Amino acid sequence: MIVRIAQFPLRKRLLYGIASTAGVLLAQQLLTWIAHGRLTFLLISASLPLITVLFGEASGALLLVSGFVFGVLWMKPIGSLAVQQPDDRIVLLVYVVVGVLLVVAGQQLAKVARRAGRAEAATREAAERLLQFERDARHRFDVALNSAGVPFFVVTPVVREGHVTELRWDYLNEAAAQLFSPAAGVVVGSSTSYVRPSGWDADLLLERLAPLAEQEGRDAFDVRVQGEHGEQWFHVVAASLEGAVVAWFGDITPRVRAEQALSDADRRKDEFLATLAHELRNPLAPIRQVAEILEQPGLTDERRKWCITVLRRQSAAMALLLDDLLDVSRITRGALTLRKEAVALREVVDEAVEIARPIFEGKAHELVIKPPARPLHIEADRLRLAQVLGNLLTNAAKYTPPGGRIELAGTADDAEIVVSVADNGIGVEPDKLSAIFSMFSQVNPDHHREGGLGIGLALSKSLIELHGGRLTASSAGKDRGSCFSIHLPAQCRVVPQPVSTRDVPAVAASVEKRRVLVVDDNVDAADALTALLELEGHEVRTVYSGEEAVDILSHYSPEVVLLDLGLPGMSGLDVARRIRLTPATKDVTMIAITGWGQPHDRERTADAGFDFHFTKPVDVGQLNRAIESAVAAV
């Protein structure tokens, strides 16, 4: 007890010292009252070791001297420092000798107490350092495992009747914890039979990890999981650790999917090579037969012409196959460049229809064309766009039974330009829609085989993407038709640059008569243009300001508006915007007549909604063709 008190701070030692001294003094006073002071001073010696240990040798010696003086004063004669009785002297001598021994003993106890205190402090400090080291090690362990980003866990076995019957989660890093559903609650301490990552098989975990809990070893295996995000694959590496099992597992879904994609691509490549051989043999067979026919004597001119026709047709078919292959190769290497120009969508459609016309006629299909409400010019590679649209038409014809209906429609708004090809043919099953744009894929390789290398849609998709657009497909299902749509950004729309024209007659008898509105503040110019148009048979109204143009539109519905830009008050651009915002007139053909012809001027007219931009003086032939396009353009 004294050693323990000696380790206390000074304040606590003072309190214990004062309390113990007070107790001794009270006991002394009680005994003094009972025994009339005889020998009671010896009780002071009981406090000597305590005081020496608590406050040092000087304090013990001071208490010893104080006790001696106290004893002398209480011995006869009381109150005198002279001790006359021999027995009293012996008692005082014994008190002094014993007191000195007790002070020396207290001094030794103080040394022992200090050493014990230092030893205990060192032990406590070592324990704290060890505990802090353990905390730091655990923290570094957690940081290392969490920063790795790879799921890691530790499971401990539950053994019943000598066998591992279940596993319990003992540790999870953050990456592993994220695989558990929040509804799982507390994971650590739970059984893998009841709490596990979403989609994982508890029996598989027990089957593969229990042997590692029973004996030393390691294992690696793949786990297929059907989770919230579809099919996933994990590679697990597990090992024994002092009766427990530690395991890392990584998401290998991208690798498995890549391997599956490579396998599918390899399969499609084999199918493509077989298809290529088949497609090349088809034209080679008649070419070879025609060569043998040409060797026959007595060949008539009619038969020779037929042979030449067959050779041309079959060689053209082979050329198309090779062109598709070369285009795919160029796109893959990034070597294909577009030759963009301002082109009328009508012309692209006409070329595409010509490409597909033989198969349309051969299968007696009905082709319905629904053009946009007004002429449309876009900046595109005319040849490539016609190639894509022709491919869509050809596919629609191939996969539509004879006598089917195919519809080609064009629409345009502020967001995009859409050209779609819809048919009532065999359709596409929903689960195959995402694969039809893949290289070497066939819409339906098992039924309705109509030839082709399976690269047409992939090539078309790439060509449209080079234009900044996208190619989409939709189908209601098998035998319910399909629809392929070309989506081009609205920025592709342009106002065409006028080109030099051939000499044309002032009046074209074949021109369809239209309702025309002429707007120009130059009265002579407006009247002269009106007279010219009336000579050609058009119905013409003439106004001389933008405000008049807006007013007349409330009771007159023109099909073509010839609009000067530099009008006083409301400009021609403002009038054009008003026309486009009015539902009744938003689809009329608008032709800008102006003296401004710089590129930025054409951009302004295109933004305002004009379909054509002509600089003064206007070429009559160009103007006639622009008015004609109001009827025939797509």
Side-chain angles (χ1 to χ4, degrees), residues 456-480:
L457 288 177
L459 174 60
S460 298
K461 180 175 180 290
S462 298
L463 288 173
I464 294 302
E465 289 175 349
L466 286 176
H467 281 84
R470 55 194 175 93
L471 182 61
T472 61
S474 61
S475 176
K478 186 177 181 181
D479 297 325
R480 301 185 65 181

Side-chain angles (χ1 to χ4, degrees), residues 24-29 31-32 39-48 95:
V24 170
L25 290 176
L26 287 174
Q28 171 197 318
Q29 292 302 320
L31 290 174
T32 299
L39 301 179
T40 56
F41 74 93
L42 293 177
L43 291 173
I44 295 176
S45 62
S47 300
L48 287 175
Y95 169 78

Side-chain angles (χ1 to χ4, degrees), residues 156-167 206 209-211 213-214 243:
T156 54
V158 177
V159 181
R160 296 188 180 95
E161 299 179 357
H163 297 286
V164 177
T165 57
E166 64 177 319
L167 301 169
L206 184 63
L209 300 182
E214 295 175 329

